[in-house]
PDB file of all heavy atoms in Angstrom:
ATOM      1  N   ASP T1183      -5.314  -3.391 -26.733  1.00 96.00           N
ATOM      2  CA  ASP T1183      -6.321  -2.515 -27.338  1.00 96.00           C
ATOM      3  C   ASP T1183      -5.820  -1.086 -27.333  1.00 96.00           C
ATOM      4  O   ASP T1183      -6.035  -0.348 -28.272  1.00 96.00           O
ATOM      5  CB  ASP T1183      -7.633  -2.664 -26.738  1.00 96.00           C
ATOM      6  CG  ASP T1183      -8.705  -1.801 -27.396  1.00 96.00           C
ATOM      7  OD1 ASP T1183      -8.943  -2.082 -28.557  1.00 96.00           O
ATOM      8  OD2 ASP T1183      -9.238  -0.912 -26.787  1.00 96.00           O
ATOM      9  N   CYS T1184      -5.336  -0.619 -26.232  1.00 97.00           N
ATOM     10  CA  CYS T1184      -4.798   0.730 -26.066  1.00 97.00           C
ATOM     11  C   CYS T1184      -3.900   0.785 -24.878  1.00 97.00           C
ATOM     12  O   CYS T1184      -3.735  -0.142 -24.130  1.00 97.00           O
ATOM     13  CB  CYS T1184      -5.989   1.742 -25.914  1.00 97.00           C
ATOM     14  SG  CYS T1184      -6.998   1.471 -24.462  1.00 97.00           S
ATOM     15  N   ILE T1185      -3.210   1.898 -24.652  1.00 98.00           N
ATOM     16  CA  ILE T1185      -2.228   2.131 -23.611  1.00 98.00           C
ATOM     17  C   ILE T1185      -2.795   3.411 -22.810  1.00 98.00           C
ATOM     18  O   ILE T1185      -2.950   4.458 -23.441  1.00 98.00           O
ATOM     19  CB  ILE T1185      -0.862   2.347 -24.097  1.00 98.00           C
ATOM     20  CG1 ILE T1185      -0.401   1.106 -24.827  1.00 98.00           C
ATOM     21  CG2 ILE T1185       0.066   2.718 -22.896  1.00 98.00           C
ATOM     22  CD1 ILE T1185       0.949   1.296 -25.557  1.00 98.00           C
ATOM     23  N   ILE T1186      -2.972   3.216 -21.515  1.00 98.00           N
ATOM     24  CA  ILE T1186      -3.373   4.272 -20.605  1.00 98.00           C
ATOM     25  C   ILE T1186      -2.228   4.533 -19.570  1.00 98.00           C
ATOM     26  O   ILE T1186      -1.781   3.541 -18.972  1.00 98.00           O
ATOM     27  CB  ILE T1186      -4.634   4.055 -19.906  1.00 98.00           C
ATOM     28  CG1 ILE T1186      -5.856   3.777 -20.917  1.00 98.00           C
ATOM     29  CG2 ILE T1186      -5.057   5.088 -18.971  1.00 98.00           C
ATOM     30  CD1 ILE T1186      -6.406   2.436 -20.903  1.00 98.00           C
ATOM     31  N   ILE T1187      -1.745   5.729 -19.459  1.00 98.00           N
ATOM     32  CA  ILE T1187      -0.661   6.049 -18.477  1.00 98.00           C
ATOM     33  C   ILE T1187      -1.365   6.735 -17.324  1.00 98.00           C
ATOM     34  O   ILE T1187      -2.137   7.716 -17.474  1.00 98.00           O
ATOM     35  CB  ILE T1187       0.355   6.957 -19.190  1.00 98.00           C
ATOM     36  CG1 ILE T1187       1.001   6.263 -20.281  1.00 98.00           C
ATOM     37  CG2 ILE T1187       1.414   7.480 -18.133  1.00 98.00           C
ATOM     38  CD1 ILE T1187       1.622   7.169 -21.336  1.00 98.00           C
ATOM     39  N   ALA T1188      -1.029   6.214 -16.084  1.00 98.00           N
ATOM     40  CA  ALA T1188      -1.733   6.650 -14.912  1.00 98.00           C
ATOM     41  C   ALA T1188      -0.761   6.769 -13.753  1.00 98.00           C
ATOM     42  O   ALA T1188       0.301   6.303 -13.845  1.00 98.00           O
ATOM     43  CB  ALA T1188      -2.807   5.549 -14.574  1.00 98.00           C
ATOM     44  N   ASN T1189      -1.276   7.450 -12.707  1.00 98.00           N
ATOM     45  CA  ASN T1189      -0.537   7.472 -11.439  1.00 98.00           C
ATOM     46  C   ASN T1189      -1.274   6.712 -10.394  1.00 98.00           C
ATOM     47  O   ASN T1189      -2.143   7.255  -9.695  1.00 98.00           O
ATOM     48  CB  ASN T1189      -0.332   8.921 -10.943  1.00 98.00           C
ATOM     49  CG  ASN T1189       0.656   9.027  -9.813  1.00 98.00           C
ATOM     50  OD1 ASN T1189       0.916   8.025  -9.148  1.00 98.00           O
ATOM     51  ND2 ASN T1189       0.965  10.242  -9.386  1.00 98.00           N
ATOM     52  N   LEU T1190      -1.066   5.441 -10.360  1.00 98.00           N
ATOM     53  CA  LEU T1190      -1.816   4.564  -9.409  1.00 98.00           C
ATOM     54  C   LEU T1190      -1.010   4.421  -8.115  1.00 98.00           C
ATOM     55  O   LEU T1190      -1.527   4.016  -7.134  1.00 98.00           O
ATOM     56  CB  LEU T1190      -2.029   3.192 -10.025  1.00 98.00           C
ATOM     57  CG  LEU T1190      -2.762   3.154 -11.388  1.00 98.00           C
ATOM     58  CD1 LEU T1190      -2.821   1.681 -11.913  1.00 98.00           C
ATOM     59  CD2 LEU T1190      -4.140   3.690 -11.240  1.00 98.00           C
ATOM     60  N   SER T1191       0.276   4.698  -8.147  1.00 96.00           N
ATOM     61  CA  SER T1191       1.228   4.460  -7.078  1.00 96.00           C
ATOM     62  C   SER T1191       1.417   5.615  -6.185  1.00 96.00           C
ATOM     63  O   SER T1191       2.065   5.478  -5.133  1.00 96.00           O
ATOM     64  CB  SER T1191       2.587   4.032  -7.605  1.00 96.00           C
ATOM     65  OG  SER T1191       2.461   2.853  -8.423  1.00 96.00           O
ATOM     66  N   GLY T1192       0.885   6.812  -6.579  1.00 96.00           N
ATOM     67  CA  GLY T1192       1.023   7.993  -5.718  1.00 96.00           C
ATOM     68  C   GLY T1192       2.328   8.665  -5.768  1.00 96.00           C
ATOM     69  O   GLY T1192       2.776   9.359  -4.846  1.00 96.00           O
ATOM     70  N   LYS T1193       3.052   8.477  -6.904  1.00 96.00           N
ATOM     71  CA  LYS T1193       4.347   9.070  -7.119  1.00 96.00           C
ATOM     72  C   LYS T1193       4.158  10.569  -7.576  1.00 96.00           C
ATOM     73  O   LYS T1193       3.081  10.993  -7.795  1.00 96.00           O
ATOM     74  CB  LYS T1193       5.193   8.331  -8.107  1.00 96.00           C
ATOM     75  CG  LYS T1193       5.483   6.877  -7.645  1.00 96.00           C
ATOM     76  CD  LYS T1193       6.310   6.123  -8.673  1.00 96.00           C
ATOM     77  CE  LYS T1193       6.576   4.754  -8.225  1.00 96.00           C
ATOM     78  NZ  LYS T1193       7.378   3.922  -9.232  1.00 96.00           N
ATOM     79  N   GLU T1194       5.338  11.238  -7.762  1.00 95.00           N
ATOM     80  CA  GLU T1194       5.175  12.694  -8.167  1.00 95.00           C
ATOM     81  C   GLU T1194       4.615  12.792  -9.601  1.00 95.00           C
ATOM     82  O   GLU T1194       4.097  13.884  -9.964  1.00 95.00           O
ATOM     83  CB  GLU T1194       6.652  13.325  -8.092  1.00 95.00           C
ATOM     84  CG  GLU T1194       7.087  13.482  -6.661  1.00 95.00           C
ATOM     85  CD  GLU T1194       8.414  14.323  -6.633  1.00 95.00           C
ATOM     86  OE1 GLU T1194       8.815  14.733  -7.756  1.00 95.00           O
ATOM     87  OE2 GLU T1194       8.895  14.444  -5.533  1.00 95.00           O
ATOM     88  N   ARG T1195       4.768  11.837 -10.409  1.00 96.00           N
ATOM     89  CA  ARG T1195       4.305  11.875 -11.785  1.00 96.00           C
ATOM     90  C   ARG T1195       3.771  10.488 -12.196  1.00 96.00           C
ATOM     91  O   ARG T1195       4.047   9.521 -11.598  1.00 96.00           O
ATOM     92  CB  ARG T1195       5.446  12.282 -12.703  1.00 96.00           C
ATOM     93  CG  ARG T1195       6.672  11.326 -12.693  1.00 96.00           C
ATOM     94  CD  ARG T1195       7.863  11.910 -13.380  1.00 96.00           C
ATOM     95  NE  ARG T1195       7.558  12.229 -14.757  1.00 96.00           N
ATOM     96  CZ  ARG T1195       7.601  11.424 -15.787  1.00 96.00           C
ATOM     97  NH1 ARG T1195       7.908  10.112 -15.538  1.00 96.00           N
ATOM     98  NH2 ARG T1195       7.332  11.779 -16.941  1.00 96.00           N
ATOM     99  N   ALA T1196       2.934  10.520 -13.251  1.00 98.00           N
ATOM    100  CA  ALA T1196       2.322   9.307 -13.707  1.00 98.00           C
ATOM    101  C   ALA T1196       3.411   8.399 -14.311  1.00 98.00           C
ATOM    102  O   ALA T1196       4.203   8.828 -15.236  1.00 98.00           O
ATOM    103  CB  ALA T1196       1.263   9.598 -14.812  1.00 98.00           C
ATOM    104  N   SER T1197       3.471   7.109 -13.866  1.00 97.00           N
ATOM    105  CA  SER T1197       4.516   6.215 -14.422  1.00 97.00           C
ATOM    106  C   SER T1197       3.922   4.750 -14.500  1.00 97.00           C
ATOM    107  O   SER T1197       4.669   3.862 -14.712  1.00 97.00           O
ATOM    108  CB  SER T1197       5.782   6.230 -13.587  1.00 97.00           C
ATOM    109  OG  SER T1197       5.581   5.901 -12.234  1.00 97.00           O
ATOM    110  N   ASP T1198       2.668   4.622 -14.168  1.00 98.00           N
ATOM    111  CA  ASP T1198       2.054   3.263 -14.245  1.00 98.00           C
ATOM    112  C   ASP T1198       1.330   3.101 -15.569  1.00 98.00           C
ATOM    113  O   ASP T1198       1.009   4.153 -16.262  1.00 98.00           O
ATOM    114  CB  ASP T1198       1.095   3.084 -13.041  1.00 98.00           C
ATOM    115  CG  ASP T1198       1.751   3.239 -11.660  1.00 98.00           C
ATOM    116  OD1 ASP T1198       2.727   2.556 -11.456  1.00 98.00           O
ATOM    117  OD2 ASP T1198       1.229   4.074 -10.941  1.00 98.00           O
ATOM    118  N   ILE T1199       1.038   1.924 -15.972  1.00 98.00           N
ATOM    119  CA  ILE T1199       0.477   1.647 -17.272  1.00 98.00           C
ATOM    120  C   ILE T1199      -0.743   0.692 -17.130  1.00 98.00           C
ATOM    121  O   ILE T1199      -0.664  -0.262 -16.354  1.00 98.00           O
ATOM    122  CB  ILE T1199       1.499   0.949 -18.199  1.00 98.00           C
ATOM    123  CG1 ILE T1199       2.676   1.981 -18.530  1.00 98.00           C
ATOM    124  CG2 ILE T1199       0.885   0.444 -19.481  1.00 98.00           C
ATOM    125  CD1 ILE T1199       3.831   1.370 -19.175  1.00 98.00           C
ATOM    126  N   ILE T1200      -1.807   0.987 -17.827  1.00 98.00           N
ATOM    127  CA  ILE T1200      -3.000   0.170 -17.875  1.00 98.00           C
ATOM    128  C   ILE T1200      -3.067  -0.262 -19.278  1.00 98.00           C
ATOM    129  O   ILE T1200      -3.114   0.526 -20.315  1.00 98.00           O
ATOM    130  CB  ILE T1200      -4.219   0.855 -17.397  1.00 98.00           C
ATOM    131  CG1 ILE T1200      -4.151   1.407 -15.980  1.00 98.00           C
ATOM    132  CG2 ILE T1200      -5.439  -0.012 -17.635  1.00 98.00           C
ATOM    133  CD1 ILE T1200      -5.253   2.319 -15.498  1.00 98.00           C
ATOM    134  N   LEU T1201      -3.280  -1.569 -19.509  1.00 98.00           N
ATOM    135  CA  LEU T1201      -3.545  -2.241 -20.805  1.00 98.00           C
ATOM    136  C   LEU T1201      -4.962  -2.877 -20.751  1.00 98.00           C
ATOM    137  O   LEU T1201      -5.465  -3.134 -19.661  1.00 98.00           O
ATOM    138  CB  LEU T1201      -2.466  -3.266 -21.144  1.00 98.00           C
ATOM    139  CG  LEU T1201      -1.083  -2.811 -21.168  1.00 98.00           C
ATOM    140  CD1 LEU T1201      -0.125  -4.050 -21.438  1.00 98.00           C
ATOM    141  CD2 LEU T1201      -0.906  -1.771 -22.297  1.00 98.00           C
ATOM    142  N   LYS T1202      -5.551  -3.043 -21.881  1.00 97.00           N
ATOM    143  CA  LYS T1202      -6.906  -3.608 -21.939  1.00 97.00           C
ATOM    144  C   LYS T1202      -7.043  -4.441 -23.208  1.00 97.00           C
ATOM    145  O   LYS T1202      -6.374  -4.304 -24.147  1.00 97.00           O
ATOM    146  CB  LYS T1202      -7.992  -2.545 -21.846  1.00 97.00           C
ATOM    147  CG  LYS T1202      -8.070  -1.616 -23.033  1.00 97.00           C
ATOM    148  CD  LYS T1202      -9.094  -0.569 -22.881  1.00 97.00           C
ATOM    149  CE  LYS T1202     -10.527  -1.026 -23.133  1.00 97.00           C
ATOM    150  NZ  LYS T1202     -10.842  -1.380 -24.474  1.00 97.00           N
ATOM    151  N   ASP T1203      -8.021  -5.345 -23.135  1.00 96.00           N
ATOM    152  CA  ASP T1203      -8.459  -6.005 -24.351  1.00 96.00           C
ATOM    153  C   ASP T1203      -9.546  -5.257 -24.968  1.00 96.00           C
ATOM    154  O   ASP T1203      -9.805  -4.073 -24.594  1.00 96.00           O
ATOM    155  CB  ASP T1203      -8.847  -7.481 -24.048  1.00 96.00           C
ATOM    156  CG  ASP T1203     -10.100  -7.651 -23.190  1.00 96.00           C
ATOM    157  OD1 ASP T1203     -10.722  -6.615 -22.858  1.00 96.00           O
ATOM    158  OD2 ASP T1203     -10.339  -8.795 -22.760  1.00 96.00           O
ATOM    159  N   ARG T1204     -10.333  -5.743 -25.841  1.00 94.00           N
ATOM    160  CA  ARG T1204     -11.282  -4.967 -26.701  1.00 94.00           C
ATOM    161  C   ARG T1204     -12.420  -4.353 -25.730  1.00 94.00           C
ATOM    162  O   ARG T1204     -12.662  -3.188 -25.836  1.00 94.00           O
ATOM    163  CB  ARG T1204     -11.836  -5.814 -27.805  1.00 94.00           C
ATOM    164  CG  ARG T1204     -12.696  -5.000 -28.818  1.00 94.00           C
ATOM    165  CD  ARG T1204     -11.684  -4.193 -29.704  1.00 94.00           C
ATOM    166  NE  ARG T1204     -12.458  -3.555 -30.842  1.00 94.00           N
ATOM    167  CZ  ARG T1204     -12.766  -2.270 -30.886  1.00 94.00           C
ATOM    168  NH1 ARG T1204     -12.414  -1.468 -29.856  1.00 94.00           N
ATOM    169  NH2 ARG T1204     -13.476  -1.776 -31.939  1.00 94.00           N
ATOM    170  N   TYR T1205     -12.975  -5.204 -24.959  1.00 92.00           N
ATOM    171  CA  TYR T1205     -14.151  -4.661 -24.187  1.00 92.00           C
ATOM    172  C   TYR T1205     -14.267  -5.160 -22.767  1.00 92.00           C
ATOM    173  O   TYR T1205     -15.187  -4.682 -22.077  1.00 92.00           O
ATOM    174  CB  TYR T1205     -15.423  -5.119 -24.955  1.00 92.00           C
ATOM    175  CG  TYR T1205     -15.756  -4.352 -26.215  1.00 92.00           C
ATOM    176  CD1 TYR T1205     -15.739  -4.955 -27.446  1.00 92.00           C
ATOM    177  CD2 TYR T1205     -15.982  -2.961 -26.167  1.00 92.00           C
ATOM    178  CE1 TYR T1205     -15.985  -4.220 -28.565  1.00 92.00           C
ATOM    179  CE2 TYR T1205     -16.290  -2.277 -27.307  1.00 92.00           C
ATOM    180  CZ  TYR T1205     -16.289  -2.898 -28.549  1.00 92.00           C
ATOM    181  OH  TYR T1205     -16.485  -2.164 -29.647  1.00 92.00           O
ATOM    182  N   HIS T1206     -13.495  -6.055 -22.215  1.00 95.00           N
ATOM    183  CA  HIS T1206     -13.827  -6.749 -20.982  1.00 95.00           C
ATOM    184  C   HIS T1206     -12.798  -6.717 -19.871  1.00 95.00           C
ATOM    185  O   HIS T1206     -13.187  -6.759 -18.716  1.00 95.00           O
ATOM    186  CB  HIS T1206     -14.190  -8.237 -21.309  1.00 95.00           C
ATOM    187  CG  HIS T1206     -15.178  -8.459 -22.352  1.00 95.00           C
ATOM    188  ND1 HIS T1206     -16.470  -8.073 -22.159  1.00 95.00           N
ATOM    189  CD2 HIS T1206     -15.144  -8.986 -23.581  1.00 95.00           C
ATOM    190  CE1 HIS T1206     -17.168  -8.380 -23.248  1.00 95.00           C
ATOM    191  NE2 HIS T1206     -16.404  -8.959 -24.121  1.00 95.00           N
ATOM    192  N   ARG T1207     -11.545  -6.519 -20.236  1.00 97.00           N
ATOM    193  CA  ARG T1207     -10.478  -6.678 -19.058  1.00 97.00           C
ATOM    194  C   ARG T1207      -9.432  -5.600 -19.197  1.00 97.00           C
ATOM    195  O   ARG T1207      -9.081  -5.072 -20.156  1.00 97.00           O
ATOM    196  CB  ARG T1207      -9.836  -8.102 -19.241  1.00 97.00           C
ATOM    197  CG  ARG T1207     -10.735  -9.296 -18.987  1.00 97.00           C
ATOM    198  CD  ARG T1207      -9.970 -10.525 -19.217  1.00 97.00           C
ATOM    199  NE  ARG T1207      -9.583 -10.735 -20.649  1.00 97.00           N
ATOM    200  CZ  ARG T1207      -8.763 -11.662 -21.191  1.00 97.00           C
ATOM    201  NH1 ARG T1207      -8.259 -12.500 -20.361  1.00 97.00           N
ATOM    202  NH2 ARG T1207      -8.626 -11.754 -22.433  1.00 97.00           N
ATOM    203  N   LEU T1208      -8.941  -5.254 -17.903  1.00 97.00           N
ATOM    204  CA  LEU T1208      -7.878  -4.373 -17.704  1.00 97.00           C
ATOM    205  C   LEU T1208      -6.745  -5.057 -16.976  1.00 97.00           C
ATOM    206  O   LEU T1208      -7.039  -5.860 -16.089  1.00 97.00           O
ATOM    207  CB  LEU T1208      -8.336  -3.138 -16.915  1.00 97.00           C
ATOM    208  CG  LEU T1208      -9.415  -2.110 -17.426  1.00 97.00           C
ATOM    209  CD1 LEU T1208      -9.596  -1.070 -16.422  1.00 97.00           C
ATOM    210  CD2 LEU T1208      -9.105  -1.631 -18.764  1.00 97.00           C
ATOM    211  N   TRP T1209      -5.521  -4.565 -17.286  1.00 98.00           N
ATOM    212  CA  TRP T1209      -4.381  -4.991 -16.481  1.00 98.00           C
ATOM    213  C   TRP T1209      -3.571  -3.766 -16.055  1.00 98.00           C
ATOM    214  O   TRP T1209      -3.202  -2.968 -16.982  1.00 98.00           O
ATOM    215  CB  TRP T1209      -3.476  -5.913 -17.318  1.00 98.00           C
ATOM    216  CG  TRP T1209      -4.075  -7.195 -17.705  1.00 98.00           C
ATOM    217  CD1 TRP T1209      -3.904  -8.436 -16.978  1.00 98.00           C
ATOM    218  CD2 TRP T1209      -4.895  -7.527 -18.826  1.00 98.00           C
ATOM    219  NE1 TRP T1209      -4.582  -9.422 -17.681  1.00 98.00           N
ATOM    220  CE2 TRP T1209      -5.229  -8.904 -18.696  1.00 98.00           C
ATOM    221  CE3 TRP T1209      -5.396  -6.761 -19.835  1.00 98.00           C
ATOM    222  CZ2 TRP T1209      -6.030  -9.504 -19.655  1.00 98.00           C
ATOM    223  CZ3 TRP T1209      -6.262  -7.340 -20.815  1.00 98.00           C
ATOM    224  CH2 TRP T1209      -6.524  -8.713 -20.689  1.00 98.00           C
ATOM    225  N   ALA T1210      -3.420  -3.528 -14.798  1.00 98.00           N
ATOM    226  CA  ALA T1210      -2.659  -2.382 -14.292  1.00 98.00           C
ATOM    227  C   ALA T1210      -1.258  -2.831 -13.879  1.00 98.00           C
ATOM    228  O   ALA T1210      -1.080  -3.855 -13.150  1.00 98.00           O
ATOM    229  CB  ALA T1210      -3.361  -1.764 -13.069  1.00 98.00           C
ATOM    230  N   LEU T1211      -0.203  -2.070 -14.397  1.00 98.00           N
ATOM    231  CA  LEU T1211       1.177  -2.488 -14.139  1.00 98.00           C
ATOM    232  C   LEU T1211       1.966  -1.265 -13.645  1.00 98.00           C
ATOM    233  O   LEU T1211       1.663  -0.195 -14.023  1.00 98.00           O
ATOM    234  CB  LEU T1211       1.821  -3.009 -15.500  1.00 98.00           C
ATOM    235  CG  LEU T1211       1.045  -4.156 -16.075  1.00 98.00           C
ATOM    236  CD1 LEU T1211       0.522  -3.727 -17.444  1.00 98.00           C
ATOM    237  CD2 LEU T1211       1.800  -5.429 -16.222  1.00 98.00           C
ATOM    238  N   ASP T1212       2.982  -1.506 -12.846  1.00 97.00           N
ATOM    239  CA  ASP T1212       3.813  -0.406 -12.425  1.00 97.00           C
ATOM    240  C   ASP T1212       4.883  -0.166 -13.453  1.00 97.00           C
ATOM    241  O   ASP T1212       4.969  -0.793 -14.478  1.00 97.00           O
ATOM    242  CB  ASP T1212       4.388  -0.694 -11.054  1.00 97.00           C
ATOM    243  CG  ASP T1212       5.395  -1.851 -10.985  1.00 97.00           C
ATOM    244  OD1 ASP T1212       5.849  -2.280 -12.007  1.00 97.00           O
ATOM    245  OD2 ASP T1212       5.748  -2.172  -9.888  1.00 97.00           O
ATOM    246  N   ASN T1213       5.799   0.749 -13.090  1.00 93.00           N
ATOM    247  CA  ASN T1213       6.799   1.183 -14.104  1.00 93.00           C
ATOM    248  C   ASN T1213       7.781   0.018 -14.470  1.00 93.00           C
ATOM    249  O   ASN T1213       8.450   0.148 -15.519  1.00 93.00           O
ATOM    250  CB  ASN T1213       7.608   2.396 -13.411  1.00 93.00           C
ATOM    251  CG  ASN T1213       8.609   2.932 -14.378  1.00 93.00           C
ATOM    252  OD1 ASN T1213       9.795   2.840 -14.235  1.00 93.00           O
ATOM    253  ND2 ASN T1213       8.103   3.619 -15.499  1.00 93.00           N
ATOM    254  N   ASP T1214       7.858  -0.970 -13.570  1.00 95.00           N
ATOM    255  CA  ASP T1214       8.712  -2.112 -13.922  1.00 95.00           C
ATOM    256  C   ASP T1214       7.933  -3.229 -14.590  1.00 95.00           C
ATOM    257  O   ASP T1214       8.454  -4.414 -14.636  1.00 95.00           O
ATOM    258  CB  ASP T1214       9.407  -2.588 -12.626  1.00 95.00           C
ATOM    259  CG  ASP T1214      10.476  -1.592 -12.077  1.00 95.00           C
ATOM    260  OD1 ASP T1214      11.253  -1.020 -12.933  1.00 95.00           O
ATOM    261  OD2 ASP T1214      10.436  -1.238 -10.897  1.00 95.00           O
ATOM    262  N   PHE T1215       6.740  -2.966 -14.894  1.00 97.00           N
ATOM    263  CA  PHE T1215       5.806  -3.875 -15.517  1.00 97.00           C
ATOM    264  C   PHE T1215       5.367  -5.088 -14.666  1.00 97.00           C
ATOM    265  O   PHE T1215       5.056  -6.143 -15.080  1.00 97.00           O
ATOM    266  CB  PHE T1215       6.451  -4.437 -16.847  1.00 97.00           C
ATOM    267  CG  PHE T1215       5.511  -4.201 -18.084  1.00 97.00           C
ATOM    268  CD1 PHE T1215       5.271  -2.919 -18.465  1.00 97.00           C
ATOM    269  CD2 PHE T1215       4.887  -5.297 -18.712  1.00 97.00           C
ATOM    270  CE1 PHE T1215       4.442  -2.659 -19.545  1.00 97.00           C
ATOM    271  CE2 PHE T1215       4.049  -4.976 -19.743  1.00 97.00           C
ATOM    272  CZ  PHE T1215       3.800  -3.734 -20.189  1.00 97.00           C
ATOM    273  N   ARG T1216       5.392  -4.837 -13.324  1.00 98.00           N
ATOM    274  CA  ARG T1216       4.897  -5.804 -12.394  1.00 98.00           C
ATOM    275  C   ARG T1216       3.351  -5.608 -12.305  1.00 98.00           C
ATOM    276  O   ARG T1216       2.876  -4.423 -12.200  1.00 98.00           O
ATOM    277  CB  ARG T1216       5.519  -5.608 -11.020  1.00 98.00           C
ATOM    278  CG  ARG T1216       6.985  -5.982 -10.993  1.00 98.00           C
ATOM    279  CD  ARG T1216       7.538  -5.831  -9.574  1.00 98.00           C
ATOM    280  NE  ARG T1216       7.508  -4.421  -9.132  1.00 98.00           N
ATOM    281  CZ  ARG T1216       8.524  -3.744  -8.728  1.00 98.00           C
ATOM    282  NH1 ARG T1216       9.753  -4.309  -8.692  1.00 98.00           N
ATOM    283  NH2 ARG T1216       8.450  -2.489  -8.368  1.00 98.00           N
ATOM    284  N   LEU T1217       2.637  -6.668 -12.314  1.00 98.00           N
ATOM    285  CA  LEU T1217       1.172  -6.587 -12.344  1.00 98.00           C
ATOM    286  C   LEU T1217       0.676  -6.069 -10.928  1.00 98.00           C
ATOM    287  O   LEU T1217       1.126  -6.628  -9.872  1.00 98.00           O
ATOM    288  CB  LEU T1217       0.606  -7.949 -12.584  1.00 98.00           C
ATOM    289  CG  LEU T1217      -0.950  -8.020 -12.676  1.00 98.00           C
ATOM    290  CD1 LEU T1217      -1.444  -7.288 -13.911  1.00 98.00           C
ATOM    291  CD2 LEU T1217      -1.416  -9.530 -12.719  1.00 98.00           C
ATOM    292  N   LEU T1218      -0.126  -5.041 -10.963  1.00 98.00           N
ATOM    293  CA  LEU T1218      -0.715  -4.487  -9.772  1.00 98.00           C
ATOM    294  C   LEU T1218      -2.067  -4.997  -9.485  1.00 98.00           C
ATOM    295  O   LEU T1218      -2.370  -5.440  -8.358  1.00 98.00           O
ATOM    296  CB  LEU T1218      -0.794  -2.931  -9.897  1.00 98.00           C
ATOM    297  CG  LEU T1218       0.527  -2.179 -10.055  1.00 98.00           C
ATOM    298  CD1 LEU T1218       0.256  -0.721 -10.356  1.00 98.00           C
ATOM    299  CD2 LEU T1218       1.371  -2.366  -8.835  1.00 98.00           C
ATOM    300  N   TRP T1219      -2.919  -5.094 -10.485  1.00 98.00           N
ATOM    301  CA  TRP T1219      -4.242  -5.649 -10.369  1.00 98.00           C
ATOM    302  C   TRP T1219      -4.841  -5.849 -11.717  1.00 98.00           C
ATOM    303  O   TRP T1219      -4.369  -5.408 -12.700  1.00 98.00           O
ATOM    304  CB  TRP T1219      -5.111  -4.773  -9.496  1.00 98.00           C
ATOM    305  CG  TRP T1219      -5.199  -3.331  -9.700  1.00 98.00           C
ATOM    306  CD1 TRP T1219      -4.512  -2.405  -9.162  1.00 98.00           C
ATOM    307  CD2 TRP T1219      -6.033  -2.638 -10.781  1.00 98.00           C
ATOM    308  NE1 TRP T1219      -4.772  -1.136  -9.634  1.00 98.00           N
ATOM    309  CE2 TRP T1219      -5.695  -1.239 -10.606  1.00 98.00           C
ATOM    310  CE3 TRP T1219      -6.919  -3.060 -11.679  1.00 98.00           C
ATOM    311  CZ2 TRP T1219      -6.341  -0.256 -11.389  1.00 98.00           C
ATOM    312  CZ3 TRP T1219      -7.588  -2.036 -12.467  1.00 98.00           C
ATOM    313  CH2 TRP T1219      -7.234  -0.737 -12.357  1.00 98.00           C
ATOM    314  N   THR T1220      -5.936  -6.597 -11.694  1.00 98.00           N
ATOM    315  CA  THR T1220      -6.726  -6.762 -13.011  1.00 98.00           C
ATOM    316  C   THR T1220      -8.179  -6.470 -12.702  1.00 98.00           C
ATOM    317  O   THR T1220      -8.619  -6.443 -11.532  1.00 98.00           O
ATOM    318  CB  THR T1220      -6.644  -8.167 -13.537  1.00 98.00           C
ATOM    319  OG1 THR T1220      -7.196  -9.136 -12.508  1.00 98.00           O
ATOM    320  CG2 THR T1220      -5.181  -8.631 -13.714  1.00 98.00           C
TER     321      THR T1220
END
């Protein structure tokens, strides 16, 4: 649905990615696209 760039890992700069469907779910991924949480 959209792309959100975030700093979930506590690095010097934002490099994590959050993806979502239309209204119900999020997927948080690190810079190597490993799933962090949903």
Side-chain angles (χ1 to χ4, degrees):
D1183 182 61
C1184 62
I1185 298 171
I1186 301 114
I1187 297 158
N1189 188 352
L1190 305 174
S1191 305
K1193 297 179 181 178
E1194 291 187 2
R1195 58 192 304 278
S1197 60
D1198 303 306
I1199 293 168
I1200 298 173
L1201 300 176
K1202 65 181 285 288
D1203 65 8
R1204 191 72 172 105
Y1205 285 117
H1206 304 294
R1207 293 176 294 171
L1208 300 181
W1209 294 264
L1211 306 116
D1212 69 11
N1213 187 250
D1214 294 314
F1215 237 66
R1216 292 181 296 234
L1217 184 66
L1218 298 174
W1219 48 264
T1220 61

